[in-house]
Amino acid sequence: MSLLADYRNYFTFEIIMTDRNGGRTTMSSRAVKGSGGEAQAPFYVAIAASLASAYFPGLSRGRPKGMGLALFDEAFNKLDVPNTQALLTFFSDMGLQLMIAGPEDKRATFTEVLDTIILVNKSLDGNSVYVDAEFPGSLAKRELAKINPDHVGIEGFRQIAAE
């Protein structure tokens, strides 16, 4: 009998998450109970770890060399801004290069952490497509972060608005 055909060779894996206070839960139990974003975040962590392991096998220290491409469509759509940005940074820290197709409403979230944003828009008559590229620099990223209410909290945002 083929090794792959024998069900006894199949495995079941579980991801165990531990919070800062030592509380433990499993990914499968969180996926059932949590919000859409809470269910999504661990999958992205697992995807990043899997891709990094596949692209850069045996790497234990240092920055990976080479292109580790991760492609996503409508990525992070159920996550809030801080978790989306933390995951984008995590993918980058793992040496992965992201290519994300996302809606316009995620643009500010992505602009704070990504290096290149390609805008693709169809003309109103549907006969043309316009493509433009943006390369947000560190100043733009800092200024966006300053006015982002997800970073400064509601009181910080009120203070900024009052100035």
Side-chain angles (χ1 to χ4, degrees):
M1 182 185 280
S2 169
L3 186 64
L4 291 176
D6 186 351
Y7 73 91
R8 293 172 294 180
N9 294 319
Y10 291 17
F11 296 94
T12 301
F13 294 94
E14 180 66 88
I15 294 177
I16 302 198
M17 298 174 283
T18 306
D19 65 22
R20 291 185 178 120
N21 300 322
R24 293 170 54 117
T25 187
T26 62
M27 188 167 88
S28 58
S29 68
R30 284 303 305 153
V32 173
K33 295 179 196 169
S35 69
E38 288 174 324
Q40 247 187 11
F43 286 108
Y44 283 111
V45 171
I47 289 168
S50 298
L51 287 173
S53 177
Y55 281 126
F56 315 114
L59 182 71
S60 61
R61 280 187 259 172
R63 183 95 174 140
K65 295 194 180 1
M67 181 174 75
L69 188 60
L71 302 169
F72 293 103
D73 183 22
E74 301 282 335
F76 316 106
N77 61 336
K78 293 182 181 179
L79 292 174
D80 60 5
V81 171
N83 283 320
T84 297
Q85 291 180 341
L87 282 167
L88 292 170
T89 301
F90 179 65
F91 271 82
S92 177
D93 291 346
M94 297 291 281
L96 299 168
Q97 297 179 31
L98 289 165
M99 184 177 287
I100 302 168
E104 180 66 24
D105 66 334
K106 287 284 191 177
R107 184 171 164 192
T109 300
F110 292 154
T111 300
E112 281 187 52
V113 291
L114 297 180
D115 297 321
T116 305
I117 297 174
I118 308 293
L119 305 166
V120 180
N121 294 300
K122 195 181 330 181
S123 64
L124 293 176
D125 63 10
N127 293 324
S128 303
V129 175
Y130 302 100
V131 180
D132 192 18
E134 294 178 354
F135 307 95
S138 57
L139 176 62
K141 291 176 182 183
R142 277 195 312 273
E143 292 302 314
L144 277 172
K146 275 192 216 174
I147 61 171
N148 186 334
D150 287 304
H151 298 310
V152 297
I154 192 68
E155 289 307 316
F157 187 67
R158 286 182 180 143
Q159 185 179 15
I160 292 168
E163 293 176 357

